[in-house]
């Protein structure tokens, strides 16, 4: 949530929802200030919100929503990072799903249990 951008306008807040620090979470359903209607995120996972923000509820699919209580009138800029494998859809997660030990080295596997980029890491 940002108020530093001069293009946003007075009394408005820019909300951006990201996964893994940089991926726009465009399929998230976002409710502001206990509103019953969700806001629409653009292709960058962003929306401009009129008024102050007191809470943000983030939903995705049928998973229990995550609710964050904030005060945008006091807090100028802050970021909420979601690192929740149960909440974030698998398409937004890293391509590395599992690790196996193969000939004394760690081998990352992708979603199809195939070596990820053929990288191997020495076992510590």
């Amino acid at each position: 949530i940002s108020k530093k951008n001069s293009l946003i306008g007075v009394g408005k807040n820019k909300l951006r929802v990201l996964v893994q620090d940089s991926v726009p979470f465009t399929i998230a359903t976002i409710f502001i200030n206990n509103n019953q209607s969700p806001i629409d995120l653009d292709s960058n996972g962003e929306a401009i919100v009129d008024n102050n923000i007191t809470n943000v509820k983030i939903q995705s699919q049928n998973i229990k929503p995550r609710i964050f209580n904030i005060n945008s009138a006091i807090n100028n800029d802050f970021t909420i990072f979601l690192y929740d494998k149960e909440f974030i859809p698998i398409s937004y997660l890293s391509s590395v799903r599992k690790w196996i030990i193969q000939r004394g080295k760690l081998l990352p596997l992708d979603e199809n249990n195939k070596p990820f980029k053929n990288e191997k890491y020495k076992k510590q």
Side-chain angles (χ1 to χ4, degrees):
I1 294 176
S2 175
K3 296 198 300 187
K4 288 184 177 176
N5 187 336
S6 60
L7 299 176
I8 295 171
V10 177
K12 297 184 178 197
N13 292 283
K14 180 177 176 181
L15 173 75
R16 189 161 101 176
V17 184
L18 301 175
V19 175
Q20 296 184 351
D21 299 346
S22 60
V23 180
F25 194 13
T26 57
I27 65 169
T29 305
I30 310 297
F31 297 89
I32 302 295
N33 300 340
N34 298 317
N35 196 332
Q36 299 300 311
S37 299
I39 61 171
D40 293 322
L41 298 174
D42 65 16
S43 60
N44 294 318
E46 298 177 346
I48 301 297
V49 179
D50 292 330
N51 303 320
N52 287 323
I53 300 173
T54 56
N55 67 53
V56 177
K57 179 167 78 170
I58 303 175
Q59 289 184 205
S60 179
Q61 301 168 350
N62 295 323
I63 306 297
K64 179 181 172 186
R66 304 305 189 255
I67 300 172
F68 303 93
N69 294 313
I70 59 174
N71 186 342
S72 65
I74 296 172
N75 300 313
N76 278 336
D77 278 61
F78 54 92
T79 303
I80 299 168
F81 288 107
L82 296 173
Y83 292 101
D84 188 332
K85 289 183 181 179
E86 289 184 14
F87 179 73
I88 299 168
I90 202 158
S91 61
Y92 282 85
L93 295 175
S94 166
S95 296
V96 175
R97 301 279 187 256
K98 311 182 209 183
W99 296 79
I100 62 168
I101 297 175
Q102 186 179 75
R103 291 189 283 280
K105 296 188 177 185
L106 285 172
L107 178 67
L109 302 178
D110 65 14
E111 64 273 7
N112 300 314
N113 291 325
K114 304 287 183 199
F116 180 70
K117 295 184 181 179
N118 292 318
E119 295 179 24
K120 292 185 180 175
Y121 301 87
K122 199 168 197 178
K123 186 178 175 187
Q124 299 289 330

